[in-house]
Amino acid sequence: MPLRATGPRVTDMNVPAKQDDPSSPGGPASQAVDNDVAVAGPPAGRTGGTRHRPGVSAFARDFGTRTAIIWIWVAMIVIYTLLEPGQFFEVSVFQTIFSSQQATVFLALGLLCTVCVGEYVDLSVASLFGLSATIVPVLVVFHGWNVVLACVVAIVATTAFGVVNGALVVFVGVNVIVVTLGSGTLMLGLALWISHLGDVAGMSNSYAGFALHSIFGLQASFYYGVVLVLAFAYILAYTPLGRRMRFVGANAEVARLSGIRVNRIRFGAFVIGALICAVGGVIAALSLGGFDPNSTQSYLFPTFATVFLGMAAIQPGRFNPIGTFIAIYFLATGILGLELLGAAGWISDVFYGGALVIAVTAATLLRRKLV
Amino acid sequence: MKRCSHIMNSRRPRSPARFGTSLAALAGALALGTALAACGSSSSSNSPSTKSNSDVSTGVKYAQGLVTGGLKEPTAPVPSAAISNMAALKGKTVYYIPVSADVPAFAITAAAMKTALATAGVKLNVCSGNFTPSGFSSCFAQAIGAHAGAIVSDAIPFQITQGLITEASKKSIPVVVTDVNIVSPRPTAANITYISGSNQQYAMAQDWIIADSGGKANVLELEATDSPTSAAGTAEYAIPALKAHCPGCTVTTLKFSSSNEQLLPSEISALLLKHPNINYIFSEYDQYVPGVMQGVQQASATSKVKIVAAAAALSGLQDVKSSTPVKAEIADNQVYNGWIDADEALRLMAGQAAVTYTIPIRLFTSTNIGSVTLSNAAQASGEWFGAFGYQQQFKHLWGVG
C-alpha cells in the first residue's frame, strides 16, 4: 500500500467526460482509484503542500493499524491458552477453527462482490446459499439424479436468481434492500417447498470427501476458501476489472463519466456474488450429505458481521477480502474459546454482536479521519 | 473495493493511533466476553457411578430387550369406549393450532386429522402458530370467534396460552392440548384435556445407547430450552433413563436455544474438544441433527461419535441408511397422532370424558432401515409403523365405519 499524502480525491477530480481506456495503467480510472487509496501519512496541509516520505513512526502506526486485529487475535489466543491450559492451545482446536468456516467464507465473499461496487445490503446471500444447498440433495435423494448434474443445476438455478436481482436493481432501479429481501424470502420459500418443509438428507457419505478430506491436517473446504479469497484479492487489486469495481464502488457517477460501464459492473457483481454463494451451498450440501433450508437465515448475520469486521483489518475502513478472511477466523477463534470455557449460548451472541458493533464503530471513526 | 468508504470522506488526516484506540475497545470487549463466560455454563458432566459389573450387565440386558422390541413394528392401541351422539357433531369445525404448520410432522398430523374428522362429517381448519405467542393468540382468537367445535393445540406451551384455553373452555369450546409435558399448575375443566408427547422415545434412545455401547457410553445430551416441554424431553426423560440403567455411562449436557441454533455446530465441536471421550450424542429433535453433524465434522470426530435422535423425520432415516454418524433414530407415529387428536376432540365435543393413549414409537437402525420405504409418501402415510387397522377401529368407535 503506497503511503502518499497528496493528490486529488475521486470526488474532487475534474474527470473528462469520455475516456478511451479508463482501466489502463495510468488512465483516469486507475489514477482516481490509486489517488483515493493513497490516504495514509501526514496531511498535505501541514507540510505546505510538499511531498514528504513518512517517518518510521508513521510507518509503524500504519502497520499497527492494519494488523491490529491480528494482534488482538494473538492476544486472545494467549488469554484463552492461559485460561484453559492444556485445552485451548492444541492442534485439534485450531484444526476445528480452520475447518469450520467454509460456509461463512463463501457467503462473505459473495456478499463482498456487491459491497465492493457500492451495493452494501444484499440480503439474499444466505437464501442463495440455502437454495443451492437444498437443490442438490433434493435432486439426488428425492429424484435420483446424478450428483454432478444436480450440482450443476443447483449452481445455474441459484445464479439465475443473481441475474434477476442484478437486473432489477441495476437496470430497473428497484431498491436493493427491497429486491434482495423479497428474492431472499422467495428463494427460502422455494427451498422449503421442494424439500417438503424440512431437512433433506441421505446423500452418499462418499461425496463428503470432496469437502472433508484432510490436506495437511485441515479439511479441503478450508483450502477452497483460501483459493477463493486469494483470487478475489488478486482480481480486486491487480486487474482492470478490480480497479473498475473499486472505482464504481467509490463513486458510480464519476466512474460513469470516466467511461466505465457502471451498470455492467454492478450487474456482474450480483451475478458473480450469487455464483459464489451457489458454489458454497453445493460444497456445504456435499459435506453434510444434505441440507435443512430452515437453517438458511442463520447464515445471514455471521456473513454481514465478518464482512464489516473485515474493514478493521489489512485495509482499515475498507471492505477487503483478506480482512474479511481474517475476521471470519478471528470470530471463530473467539467463539470457540468462549465455548471451551463453558460459555452459554448467549455469551456467544454477546461476543458476536459486540465485536461487530465495536469494529464497525471503529471503522466509521476511521473513515472520518481519512484524507 | 477500497473505495467503499470514501464516499463520505472528510479532509482530516487518518489517525492510526485513534483507530488503534478503537480496536483496543474491541479487545476490551473480547476480554469482557471472556470474563462473562464464567457466568454461564452450558455443559455439565457427570462421572459414572461406582456400580458392580453385574449392575452394568443387568442394565445392558434390560436395554437390549427394549431395543429388540423397539425395532419391530409397534402396536397402535385404540380406546375401548365408543362415542355416542356423533350425528350432532356433523358440520362442526375443529381448529388445529400447531406451534408451526411449517414443521413437517405437524403437516402430517394435520392431514391425518382432516381425514379422520371427515369420516365423521367434521371439518378441520389449520391455523399456524408461527412459533410466536402472538401467532398462538391470533389462532385461538380466530377459533373462539368462529365458535369452533373444538380446539387442538399442538406443542404450544400451555403456560403461554392458559388464559386463552380458559376463555375457550368458558365459551363451551373443548380444548385438546397435545404434545406437551403435563405439569401443574395448568388450566383444568371438564372440556379441557391434555395428551402428553411421546416421551418414551427419549428413553428408547438411551436404551439404544446403552445396548450399543455395552453400558460404557460417554453421552452428550442436547437439551433444547425453547419450551418446558422441550427441556423436559432431555432433562426428565432421557437423562434419568440413561442413569437408571447405565451406571458405567457419563453424561454431558448441552443446553441451547433454537434462537442461536447457528451456534450449535461450534458448541458441539467445542464440547467434543473439551471432552474427547464423548462417543454418543443424543438430540431430542431430529431437526438439530444437521447442526450436530456439522459440529462433529468440524471436530474431525465422525469416526468416533455416534448420533442418535428422536422425533425422526424422513431425513433422519435417510441419514441412518447412508452410513453417516447418525446410527439410530426414533420416530413416533404422526398419523396415529392425528387420529387420536381427532378422537379426543370428538369425545369432548360429544360431552364425553377424555381417554388416555399410548403413542406408537419405533426405533430405526441399520438393522431394520432396509425394511421401510424412505419417501415423503411413506412418511405421510404412516406405513413405517405397520398396519393401519387402528383407523378402522377408530371409525368403529365413532359409529361411522
Side-chain angles (χ1 to χ4, degrees):
Chain A
M1 173 62 65
L3 299 175
R4 283 178 260 160
T6 59
R9 291 176 294 111
V10 169
T11 49
D12 298 332
M13 291 178 66
N14 182 17
V15 181
K18 187 177 180 181
Q19 300 296 330
D20 292 330
D21 182 10
S23 63
S24 63
S30 173
Q31 183 185 359
V33 170
D34 288 345
N35 284 338
D36 200 18
V37 171
V39 290
R46 293 184 182 181
T47 58
T50 57
R51 292 173 182 263
H52 283 258
R53 293 177 63 82
V56 173
S57 61
F59 177 80
R61 278 200 305 273
D62 186 66
F63 178 77
T65 301
R66 293 172 189 281
T67 57
I69 197 168
I70 297 175
W71 299 120
I72 295 173
W73 192 3
V74 171
M76 184 164 62
I77 291 170
V78 171
I79 291 169
Y80 282 146
T81 303
L82 293 174
L83 290 174
E84 304 161 62
Q87 194 164 72
F88 184 81
F89 202 73
E90 298 290 327
V91 172
S92 59
V93 170
F94 290 96
Q95 284 176 329
T96 298
I97 290 169
F98 288 105
S99 297
S100 62
Q101 301 298 316
Q102 173 266 331
T104 312
V105 169
F106 276 77
L107 279 162
L109 271 291
L111 178 62
L112 211 51
C113 277
T114 52
V115 162
C116 285
V117 298
E119 302 292 352
Y120 300 107
V121 198
D122 183 347
L123 296 173
S124 69
V125 285
S127 293
L128 289 162
F129 177 91
L131 180 63
S132 174
T134 304
I135 288 174
V136 175
V138 163
L139 292 180
V140 172
V141 177
F142 288 173
H143 303 287
W145 283 38
N146 172 278
V147 69
V148 176
L149 187 59
C151 292
V152 171
V153 169
I155 290 170
V156 171
T158 305
T159 306
F161 276 95
V163 172
V164 173
N165 282 349
L168 290 174
V169 172
V170 175
F171 300 120
V172 182
V174 185
N175 181 282
V176 65
I177 295 177
V178 175
V179 169
T180 57
L181 183 62
S183 70
T185 306
L186 172 67
M187 282 184 276
L188 177 60
L190 289 176
L192 287 168
W193 173 51
I194 63 175
S195 68
H196 300 279
L197 297 174
D199 177 22
V200 188
M203 291 170 62
S204 169
N205 212 23
S206 60
Y207 304 140
F210 177 73
L212 302 183
H213 76 269
S214 180
I215 303 173
F216 302 121
L218 296 177
Q219 292 174 2
S221 58
F222 169 76
Y223 298 100
Y224 301 152
V226 169
V227 169
L228 177 64
V229 167
L230 291 178
F232 199 127
Y234 175 80
I235 290 170
L236 216 51
Y238 297 110
T239 67
L241 173 64
R243 281 195 291 273
R244 288 173 188 148
M245 288 176 69
R246 286 149 48 200
F247 198 8
V248 169
N251 193 319
E253 186 57 24
V254 175
R256 188 185 66 77
L257 292 171
S258 301
I260 291 177
R261 294 179 174 179
V262 171
N263 283 353
R264 182 183 287 186
I265 295 285
R266 292 169 65 213
F267 176 73
F270 277 99
V271 177
I272 299 301
L275 175 65
I276 292 172
C277 292
V279 172
V282 165
I283 294 173
L286 292 177
S287 65
L288 289 170
F291 191 74
D292 183 0
N294 290 297
S295 68
T296 296
Q297 292 308 311
S298 67
Y299 290 97
L300 192 59
F301 179 75
T303 302
F304 275 86
T306 51
V307 168
F308 281 86
L309 187 56
M311 287 196 302
I314 307 302
Q315 294 171 307
R318 294 164 189 163
F319 296 101
N320 68 94
I322 304 289
T324 298
F325 191 70
I326 290 170
I328 288 168
Y329 291 100
F330 170 83
L331 284 173
T333 305
I335 289 171
L336 187 65
L338 288 175
E339 286 165 347
L340 283 172
L341 280 171
W346 64 267
I347 297 286
S348 298
D349 286 340
V350 168
F351 177 88
Y352 235 136
L356 173 65
V357 170
I358 292 169
V360 174
T361 303
T364 302
L365 292 175
L366 174 65
R367 268 206 305 256
R368 291 179 183 169
K369 309 297 177 192
L370 286 171
V371 188
Chain B
M1 174 195 68
K2 298 172 183 175
R3 305 277 61 80
C4 298
S5 59
H6 292 192
I7 297 166
M8 300 179 290
N9 51 18
S10 75
R11 293 180 180 277
R12 283 182 290 173
R14 167 194 278 184
S15 173
R18 289 193 180 200
F19 187 63
T21 304
S22 300
L23 280 175
L26 174 60
L30 300 178
L32 178 63
T34 307
L36 283 170
C39 299
S41 175
S42 62
S43 67
S44 58
S45 191
N46 295 313
S47 302
S49 58
T50 53
K51 294 278 180 75
S52 67
N53 287 339
S54 64
D55 291 330
V56 174
S57 175
T58 304
V60 171
K61 283 180 182 172
Y62 171 82
Q64 284 172 337
L66 292 174
V67 165
T68 302
L71 289 167
K72 298 174 184 172
E73 290 180 356
T75 57
V78 174
S80 56
I83 303 177
S84 57
N85 199 24
M86 283 292 290
L89 305 183
K90 279 189 179 178
K92 292 195 173 182
T93 300
V94 171
Y95 274 70
Y96 175 57
I97 309 174
V99 66
S100 169
D102 289 341
V103 176
F106 298 129
I108 294 169
T109 299
M113 202 187 316
K114 186 173 185 178
T115 303
L117 290 171
T119 64
V122 176
K123 298 173 187 171
L124 181 76
N125 200 343
V126 180
C127 182
S128 175
N130 290 329
F131 289 117
T132 62
S134 60
F136 309 153
S137 300
S138 173
C139 287
F140 267 85
Q142 189 182 333
I144 293 169
H147 304 291
I151 295 172
V152 178
S153 165
D154 197 342
I156 297 173
F158 58 79
Q159 293 85 349
I160 296 175
T161 55
Q162 53 187 333
L164 298 161
I165 293 170
T166 303
E167 183 184 348
S169 170
K170 286 180 178 173
K171 293 187 175 177
S172 300
I173 299 173
V175 182
V176 179
V177 183
T178 185
D179 263 341
V180 293
N181 191 38
I182 304 171
V183 294
S184 295
R186 62 180 186 272
T188 54
N191 61 353
I192 300 174
T193 190
Y194 296 83
I195 301 175
S196 171
S198 53
N199 296 319
Q200 65 269 34
Q201 62 182 324
Y202 309 130
M204 173 65 77
Q206 312 307 308
D207 294 331
W208 179 82
I209 291 171
I210 296 168
D212 186 69
S213 67
K216 294 175 183 175
N218 301 304
V219 189
L220 172 58
E221 307 266 6
L222 267 60
E223 181 181 327
T225 57
D226 298 294
S227 73
T229 300
S230 67
T234 294
E236 295 181 21
Y237 298 97
I239 294 176
L242 187 78
K243 287 182 175 176
H245 303 293
C246 191
C249 295
T250 65
V251 174
T252 303
T253 307
L254 171 60
K255 295 183 178 181
F256 75 101
S257 162
S258 58
S259 63
N260 54 20
E261 192 180 341
Q262 76 276 8
L263 296 173
L264 185 58
S266 62
E267 288 183 306
I268 294 286
S269 54
L271 280 172
L272 290 176
L273 292 169
K274 195 172 184 177
H275 305 287
N277 61 339
I278 288 174
N279 52 0
Y280 289 87
I281 299 177
F282 166 68
S283 171
E284 62 181 302
Y285 295 111
D286 175 60
Q287 72 188 78
Y288 298 128
V289 166
V292 174
M293 284 256 285
Q294 211 173 329
V296 171
Q297 286 178 353
Q298 289 170 8
S300 301
T302 50
S303 60
K304 72 167 187 176
V305 172
K306 296 178 180 179
I307 300 169
V308 55
L314 173 61
S315 59
L317 271 57
Q318 286 167 326
D319 278 331
V320 173
K321 192 172 185 178
S322 301
S323 303
T324 65
V326 183
K327 300 300 181 189
E329 292 257 349
I330 299 93
D332 59 341
N333 190 341
Q334 295 296 332
V335 176
Y336 178 86
N337 284 345
W339 280 80
I340 65 170
D341 290 348
D343 183 69
E344 198 77 302
L346 293 173
R347 287 176 190 280
L348 295 187
M349 289 162 71
Q352 294 184 212
V355 296
T356 57
Y357 308 90
T358 301
I359 299 169
I361 63 168
R362 190 175 183 190
L363 170 66
F364 294 96
T365 68
S366 58
T367 304
N368 63 351
I369 197 70
S371 66
V372 293
T373 302
L374 298 184
S375 67
N376 285 297
Q379 178 179 230
S381 73
E383 68 178 61
W384 296 342
F385 301 89
F388 304 105
Y390 65 89
Q391 297 178 7
Q392 190 56 41
Q393 290 175 278
F394 273 117
K395 290 181 196 174
H396 182 70
L397 290 179
W398 304 341
V400 296

